[in-house]
């Protein structure tokens, strides 16, 4: 079983956080974890939003979030428990997460005209 | 000559901005443009930082910034003049750019221990 990689506090980078949250699905997964009191298992995100997310895609999203330092994952039998590292990030980069969360909120409140995935 | 693509105000997305600024070189190019009063030509960034950036890489960086809605580019003969769209973005996503710029500033002020490009 592969070890789970978590960057130390000092190794969390802005670019890693921005990259991780530049995917709306990952940003939503992170928001769910961050606003939840108890740990979230990966499977609870399997049908986030409109359509189901394949398990392999979900695992990849969690890996990116984990390696960016946004979440902490812990294996519990066959499940994976995830908690946010919001407090550490707030300490390292004050206001960053809040402003990104707010921007996504603003965006979701406006009716999109025609939006394409334009990450390239 | 290919047309330059600029998203309209309503089509600027959070994910596009985060993706564009998740590359430290692009973030620096954008910061230079945003803090400059006059338009910046692409060539003025050719030796940004420690080592020279190939022209093709630079063009690609400008394309990503432009298509994310962060800058406006204008052809002037053989040169390309770039200005930031900071004010529009501030209007659309208040505080986002400032918090990202601040996070990069915080990061650059701390001595990195050992940093690897970990965008995966």
């Amino acid at each position: 079983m592969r070890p789970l990689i978590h960057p130390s506090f000092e190794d969390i980078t802005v670019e890693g956080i921005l990259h991780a949250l530049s995917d709306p699905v990952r940003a939503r997964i992170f928001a769910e974890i961050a606003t939840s009191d108890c740990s979230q298992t990966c499977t609870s995100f399997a049908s986030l939003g409109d359509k189901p997310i394949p398990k392999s895609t979900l695992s990849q999203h969690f890996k990116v979030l984990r390696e960016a330092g946004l979440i902490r994952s812990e294996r519990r039998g066959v499940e994976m428990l995830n908690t946010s590292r919001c407090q550490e990030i707030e300490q390292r980069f004050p206001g960053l997460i809040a402003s990104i969360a707010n921007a996504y909120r603003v965006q979701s409140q406006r009716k999109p005209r025609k939006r394409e995935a334009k990450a390239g």
Side-chain angles (χ1 to χ4, degrees), chain A residues 1 8 10 19-20 29-30 32 39 57 77 82 88-89 99 105 108 110 115 119:
Chain A
M1 201 174 281
S8 66
E10 300 80 18
H19 167 70
I29 292 174
F30 176 67
E32 288 271 335
S39 298
T57 310
N82 300 286
E88 287 174 85
I89 294 168
S99 75
R105 199 161 32 239
S108 71
R110 292 191 200 162
R115 185 157 296 141

Side-chain angles (χ1 to χ4, degrees), chain A residues 38-98:
Chain A
C38 51
S39 298
Q40 294 268 2
T41 63
C42 297
T43 48
S44 37
F45 296 97
S47 59
L48 194 82
D50 315 322
K51 46 188 179 184
I53 305 172
K55 208 180 162 192
S56 58
T57 310
L58 214 48
S59 295
Q60 183 58 28
H61 283 326
F62 278 93
K63 183 174 183 281
V64 175
L65 289 172
R66 183 165 58 242
E67 296 188 358
L70 284 159
I71 62 169
R72 200 173 284 286
S73 308
E74 206 185 325
R75 286 200 182 92
R76 287 279 174 85
V78 293
E79 296 249 284
M80 185 90 85
L81 295 180
N82 300 286
T83 45
S84 99
R85 296 179 68 182
C86 262
Q87 287 190 330
E88 287 174 85
I89 294 168
E90 181 57 25
Q91 207 180 321
R92 184 149 164 74
F93 304 120
L96 181 63
I97 296 296

